[in-house]
C-alpha cells in the first residue's frame, strides 16, 4: 500500500496497561476492552489480536458493524463480544446467532430480542441498561415493570447477562454529586430487579475514569476504553491518581500508563529558507532568521489536525521540533534549524516515542487541545497498522 505514514502498536505497552488496570480493579472483576471508534483509532483488527495476546477475552463495541470486525479479528473463538449501541433488526438476529450480547435500553429492543431468539432458536444474551442520570439511553420507571414482565414470560429466550449504566463525567470532580446519585440509583434498581427475580451475572458501570477514581463503581465487570490505550481520561484523573500514590508515601510516582500507539512518517525533503521569507501558504510563519525546514508528507487529510499549525511538535532523532506555518492537506513543515544533521528520509514520530532519549511525552493531543479520544479516533483507517514488541 502506498502510505506516507504508518502506525505501530506496542505489545509491551498494552501488557503493562492491562496489568496495571487489572490490579486496580481486582482479579475477580471481568475486564472488558472497549474497541469502539476503530479501537480508538488503533485499528480493531490489529488491536483485538494484541489484546487477546495480553489475556483479554471480552470486548465491547458501539455498533453491530464493529462487532463483526471484532468477530473476524478474534483468534480465540470464545472471546466475548458485547454491543452497547446501534443494531438494526436484521443484525439483531445475527448477534443472537453468533452469541454476541447487547444492551437493552428500551422495551422495543427487548421485544426484538425475543423475536430474534425465536427465529434462530437460541437465547438472546442481553444487558439491561439503566437510566441513572446520564439522560441519554436507558430503562427507567414503568419501562422496568414491562421489562421484568417480558423477562418472566420468556425465560428460555432471554439470558440476562448484565445490568449496567454509564456515568455522566467521572473524569472531573465537578460532577461528583451527580456521579454519587447515579451510583445510588443504580444500586437501588439492581436491588429492585433482584426482588423481582432478575439477578444478572455482571453488574457493570465503570469506564476508565470511574474505575480509576470511584472504586465503588467497579463491581463485577469494568468497561475500559481510553486507559488501556495508555491515556488518562483527563489531566484531573491523572493528578488525583498521582496524589493518592504520593500520599500513600511508598515510592515516587511513576506513570503506570504507557501509550500503545506510535505514528511515524519520514522526512520528504529538507530545504533552506532565507531570512525574511514566509513558509507555506499565506503569511502565518515568517522566517526571521535563515531556517532549515523539513517537509513531512502528513497533513490534516491524514489526521494531523490543522489546529497544530505553528503549534504542534514532532520527534526527529529523539528530539522535539515545532511545526511552522499551516498544516496542509498532505504536508507539514517542521523547523529543524537547530540540527544541521537532519536529512530527508529521517524518521519522524507524530505520536508516541522515539529512542530512549525521549521516552516521555510526544503526543500531539495535549498540544492540539483536542481530547485524546477525538485525536485518536480521527486517525484514518487506511494508514497501515502493525503490532510490534
Ligand atoms: C466508550 C464507553 C466506555 C469506555 O469509556 P472510556 O472513558 O474510554 O474508558 C465504557 N462504556 C460505554 C458504554 C462506552 O460507550
Amino acid at each position: 500500500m502506498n502510505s506516507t505514514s504508518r502506525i505501530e502498536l506496542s505489545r509491551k505497552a498494552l501488557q503493562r496497561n492491562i496489568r496495571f488496570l487489572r490490579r486496580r480493579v481486582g482479579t475477580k472483576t471481568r475486564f472488558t476492552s472497549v474497541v469502539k471508534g476503530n479501537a480508538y483509532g488503533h485499528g480493531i483488527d490489529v488491536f483485538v489480536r494484541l489484546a487477546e495476546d495480553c489475556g483479554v477475552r471480552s470486548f465491547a463495541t458501539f455498533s453491530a458493524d464493529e462487532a463483526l470486525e471484532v468477530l473476524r479479528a478474534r483468534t480465540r473463538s470464545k472471546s466475548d463480544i458485547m454491543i452497547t449501541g446501534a443494531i438494526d433488526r436484521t443484525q439483531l438476529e445475527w448477534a443472537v446467532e453468533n452469541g454476541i450480547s447487547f444492551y437493552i435500553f428500551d422495551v422495543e429492543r427487548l421485544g426484538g430480542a425475543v423475536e430474534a431468539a425465536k427465529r434462530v432458536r437460541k437465547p438472546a444474551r442481553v444487558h439491561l441498561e439503566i437510566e441513572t442520570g446520564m439522560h441519554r439511553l436507558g430503562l427507567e420507571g414503568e419501562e422496568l415493570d414491562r421489562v421484568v414482565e417480558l423477562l418472566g414470560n420468556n425465560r428460555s429466550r432471554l439470558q440476562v447477562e448484565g445490568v449496567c449504566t454509564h456515568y455522566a463525567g467521572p473524569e472531573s470532580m465537578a460532577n461528583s454529586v451527580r456521579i454519587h446519585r447515579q451510583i445510588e440509583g443504580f444500586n437501588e434498581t439492581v436491588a429492585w430487579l433482584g426482588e423481582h427475580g432478575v439477578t444478572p451475572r455482571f453488574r457493570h458501570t465503570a469506564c476508565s475514569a470511574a474505575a480509576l477514581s470511584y472504586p465503588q463503581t467497579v463491581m463485577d465487570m469494568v468497561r475500559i476504553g481510553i486507559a488501556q490505550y495508555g491515556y488518562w481520561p483527563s489531566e484531573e484523573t491523572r493528578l488525583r491518581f498521582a496524589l493518592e500514590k504520593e500520599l500513600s508515601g511508598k515510592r515516587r510516582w511513576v506513570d503506570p500508563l504507557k501509550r500503545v500507539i506510535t505514528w511515524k512518517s519520514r522526512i520528504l525533503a529538507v530545504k533552506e529558507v532565507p531570512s525574511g521569507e514566509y513558509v507555506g501558504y499565506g503569511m502565518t510563519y515568517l522566517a526571521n532568521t535563515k531556517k532549515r525546514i523539513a517537509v513531512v508528507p502528513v497533513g490534516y487529510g491524514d489526521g494531523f489536525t490543522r489546529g497544530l499549525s505553528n503549534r504542534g511538535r514532532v520527534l526527529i532523532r529523539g528530539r522535539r521540533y515545532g511545526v511552522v506555518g499551516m498544516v496542509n492537506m498532505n504536508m507539514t513543515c517542521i523547523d529543524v534549524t537547530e540540527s544541521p544533521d537532519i536529512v530527508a528520509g529521517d524518521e519522524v514520530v507524530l505520536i508516541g516515542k522515539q529512542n530512549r532519549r525521549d521516552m516521555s511525552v510526544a503526543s500531539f493531543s495535549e498540544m492540539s487541545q483536542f481530547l485524546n479520544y477525538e485525536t485518536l479516533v480521527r486517525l484514518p483507517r487506511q494508514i497501515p497498522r502493525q503490532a510490534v514488541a
Side-chain angles (χ1 to χ4, degrees):
M1 191 200 275
N2 179 22
S3 178
T4 58
S5 67
R6 64 203 162 86
I7 288 170
E8 291 174 354
L9 306 187
S10 159
R11 177 175 279 115
K12 195 153 111 206
L14 183 60
Q15 245 159 8
R16 294 182 66 154
N17 297 341
I18 289 178
R19 201 180 306 143
F20 159 71
L21 290 160
R22 276 199 198 278
R23 198 173 299 148
R24 182 80 179 167
V25 303
T27 47
K28 292 209 178 73
T29 297
R30 177 189 277 219
F31 183 95
T32 292
S33 161
V34 179
V35 293
K36 66 188 176 197
N38 198 26
Y40 292 49
H42 290 63
I44 283 186
D45 185 51
V46 178
F47 184 80
V48 163
R49 287 160 204 254
L50 209 55
E52 283 188 324
D53 288 350
C54 299
V56 174
R57 293 290 178 274
S58 174
F59 296 93
T61 68
F62 176 72
S63 68
D65 299 334
E66 293 167 338
L68 176 61
E69 286 186 63
V70 177
L71 191 79
R72 287 186 176 143
R74 73 178 176 188
T75 55
R76 272 83 169 180
S77 59
K78 286 202 196 105
S79 285
D80 212 75
I81 304 175
M82 173 173 86
I83 302 169
T84 66
I87 321 175
D88 65 30
R89 278 214 161 242
T90 55
Q91 291 173 323
L92 215 48
E93 255 177 58
W94 168 84
V96 175
E97 177 89 64
N98 286 282
I100 294 170
S101 67
F102 48 86
Y103 274 30
I104 300 292
F105 39 74
D106 55 33
V107 179
E108 198 192 341
R109 181 177 278 187
L110 191 60
V114 171
E115 290 309 310
K118 263 186 210 163
R119 278 194 297 270
V120 304
R121 302 215 181 101
K122 220 173 156 179
R125 300 171 62 215
V126 300
H127 297 257
L128 307 179
E129 183 179 11
I130 310 302
E131 167 57 59
T132 56
M134 175 91 168
H135 300 293
R136 195 173 63 181
L137 291 174
L139 302 159
E140 60 185 316
E142 288 173 9
E143 279 178 312
L144 279 165
D145 297 322
R146 292 180 53 208
V147 164
V148 166
E149 196 186 317
L150 259 170
L151 290 173
N153 295 338
N154 294 280
R155 285 191 194 281
S156 65
R157 308 229 190 268
L158 297 169
Q159 191 177 319
V160 188
E161 282 274 304
V163 54
C164 51
T165 197
H166 194 57
Y167 296 113
E171 69 283 347
S172 167
M173 276 302 281
N175 304 321
S176 68
V177 170
R178 191 167 167 202
I179 302 298
H180 280 110
R181 279 201 194 119
Q182 287 191 268
I183 298 170
E184 258 172 49
F186 180 77
N187 288 334
E188 280 165 19
T189 306
V190 170
W192 181 87
L193 285 168
E195 286 160 20
H196 291 79
V198 182
T199 51
R201 183 164 156 221
F202 296 107
R203 291 165 303 144
H204 53 101
T205 65
C207 60
S208 301
L212 290 163
S213 301
Y214 298 86
Q216 68 270 47
T217 65
V218 167
M219 307 185 192
D220 310 308
M221 175 166 117
V222 290
R223 307 181 305 259
I224 303 292
I226 198 81
Q228 68 181 330
Y229 303 105
Y231 298 83
W232 292 91
S234 64
E235 182 58 10
E236 194 184 311
T237 315
R238 190 178 73 81
L239 290 174
R240 269 177 92 170
F241 190 83
L243 191 64
E244 181 192 313
K245 288 291 146 190
E246 293 277 336
L247 292 179
S248 76
K250 279 181 213 134
R251 264 179 278 158
R252 252 204 81 220
W253 136 268
V254 182
D255 194 332
L257 294 181
K258 310 289 171 204
R259 303 208 169 159
V260 171
I261 215 167
T262 303
W263 184 22
K264 296 175 171 179
S265 183
R266 290 197 178 276
I267 295 176
L268 186 65
V270 179
K271 71 178 306 176
E272 308 266 332
V273 179
S275 176
E277 293 294 316
Y278 291 97
V279 175
Y281 288 123
M283 300 189 288
T284 70
Y285 181 77
L286 175 68
N288 51 9
T289 55
K290 192 172 128 188
K291 296 280 183 194
R292 282 188 92 227
I293 302 293
V295 180
V296 182
V298 171
Y300 61 81
D302 308 289
F304 198 74
T305 169
R306 252 184 296 195
L308 293 162
S309 299
N310 281 315
R311 290 174 41 223
R313 297 263 193 285
V314 301
L315 286 169
I316 304 168
R317 298 193 179 199
R319 287 188 58 190
R320 291 199 215 189
Y321 297 91
V323 170
V324 291
M326 297 296 288
V327 172
N328 299 172
M329 189 186 289
N330 299 111
M331 282 187 277
T332 300
C333 293
I334 310 294
D335 181 357
V336 296
T337 311
E338 289 166 53
S339 305
D341 50 334
I342 287 176
V343 291
D346 278 2
E347 183 185 87
V348 179
V349 167
L350 304 151
I351 314 181
K353 286 185 271 192
Q354 191 186 48
N355 301 352
R356 293 245 180 84
R357 283 153 74 201
D358 197 339
M359 297 293 282
S360 59
V361 220
S363 163
F364 61 49
S365 47
E366 287 88 351
M367 290 300 306
S368 69
Q369 296 175 333
F370 276 101
L371 290 173
N372 285 331
Y373 297 80
E374 194 174 337
T375 312
L376 291 169
V377 160
R378 284 184 181 193
L379 288 171
R381 282 177 171 263
Q382 57 272 26
I383 300 176
R385 288 155 167 87
Q386 96 186 88
V388 297

